[in-house]
Amino acid sequence: MLLRGLKIKTIESLANGIPVIGAYEAFRGMPVDKKTSLPFIAVASESAFLHAIEALCSDRKYLEEMQACCDLYLDEYFSEKMYSEFWRRVKL
């Protein structure tokens, strides 16, 4: 069986202003737009995971930028306004 959809723990972390580092699977179903900065880092290996953690922990400005991206990303893709416009177009 093929499972689809997003991972709710990822959304919960972002809603709390916590950038997420994880395997690509953790971000399945998450919209990605080249114009929008992402509040998450997808990694393919343990060493890349460790490097991403080190980068966030050692660079306060980078961490703050990622935290700011959390709100912007959620407003863009998961806001009440976005969904109300979607359902209005669908007319359900």
Side-chain angles (χ1 to χ4, degrees), residues 1-86:
M1 174 168 70
L2 181 62
L3 300 176
R4 298 197 184 254
L6 55 89
K7 308 296 185 203
I8 194 66
K9 293 295 182 191
T10 302
I11 296 297
E12 288 174 345
S13 293
L14 299 179
N16 285 293
I18 302 169
V20 180
I21 301 168
Y24 288 96
E25 176 66 23
F27 309 110
R28 179 175 288 181
M30 301 285 290
V32 176
D33 182 344
K34 300 293 183 201
K35 298 180 293 183
T36 305
S37 295
L38 299 175
F40 52 84
I41 302 168
V43 296
S45 68
E46 289 180 21
S47 62
F49 184 78
L50 293 173
H51 178 73
I53 291 172
E54 184 178 83
L56 281 176
C57 291
S58 65
D59 186 341
R60 181 77 174 172
K61 184 177 181 203
Y62 179 50
L63 174 61
E64 289 171 353
E65 289 171 357
M66 292 289 286
Q67 288 171 325
C69 286
C70 292
D71 287 337
L72 296 173
Y73 182 83
L74 292 176
D75 285 345
E76 178 74 23
Y77 296 109
F78 296 99
S79 69
E80 183 178 339
K81 178 184 175 189
M82 191 275 305
Y83 277 106
S84 63
E85 290 175 11
F86 171 79

